[in-house]
Amino acid sequence: MDFINIVPRIALGVIGSGYIAAVIPAEIITGWLGPNSGWLGVLTAVIAGAATPGGPVVGFSIGAVALKNGGGAPQVLAYVVAWALFAFQRLLLWEIPFMPARFVWFRAAVSVPFPFLAAAVAMAIGRP
């Protein structure tokens, strides 16, 4: 795949992910993923991150939109880490066909604490 074919796909992913800001009101993002949502917001972000399909252009764009529209840094960090470690569609479509399912599920299970640890560190650093 050459540069000419990649640029339109990246642009489409960024623009498509940007529509999330127009579709989802900032009040919903602030309520579910805002700085005052605490650990419930972190749990929501982890579930959303694991359920988000797409590549880095989609995952990071959604995280940036959430942060811009009032999402808390720990919650958005948990979203991005969860998306990067165990997006369900990537497990099912890419990892299990190429590796033993037992190994993939073990890797995913071992990775579960990391989004929560990242959020905890962000919460600890962000406190005055």
Side-chain angles (χ1 to χ4, degrees):
M1 189 177 303
D2 58 348
F3 183 73
I4 300 299
N5 293 330
I6 293 173
V7 172
R9 290 179 186 195
I10 291 174
L12 184 63
V14 170
I15 291 168
S17 299
Y19 277 111
I20 292 174
V23 174
I24 300 176
E27 298 83 27
I28 292 178
I29 293 174
T30 304
W32 284 95
L33 301 176
N36 296 327
S37 63
W39 287 104
L40 181 60
V42 170
L43 179 63
T44 303
V46 169
I47 293 169
T52 301
V57 172
V58 174
F60 292 126
S61 296
I62 290 173
V65 166
L67 198 58
K68 182 179 178 184
N69 285 340
Q75 289 78 6
V76 173
L77 183 62
Y79 167 82
V80 171
V81 171
W83 168 83
L85 288 178
F86 44 81
F88 292 134
Q89 90 289 345
R90 190 169 49 242
L91 291 175
L92 296 174
L93 297 176
W94 289 102
E95 293 185 14
I96 290 178
F98 296 107
M99 293 182 278
R102 184 175 169 186
F103 173 77
V104 173
W105 293 121
F106 179 73
R107 186 207 54 82
V110 169
S111 300
V112 168
F114 289 111
F116 297 100
L117 290 172
V121 169
M123 287 179 184
I125 290 173
R127 293 188 188 209

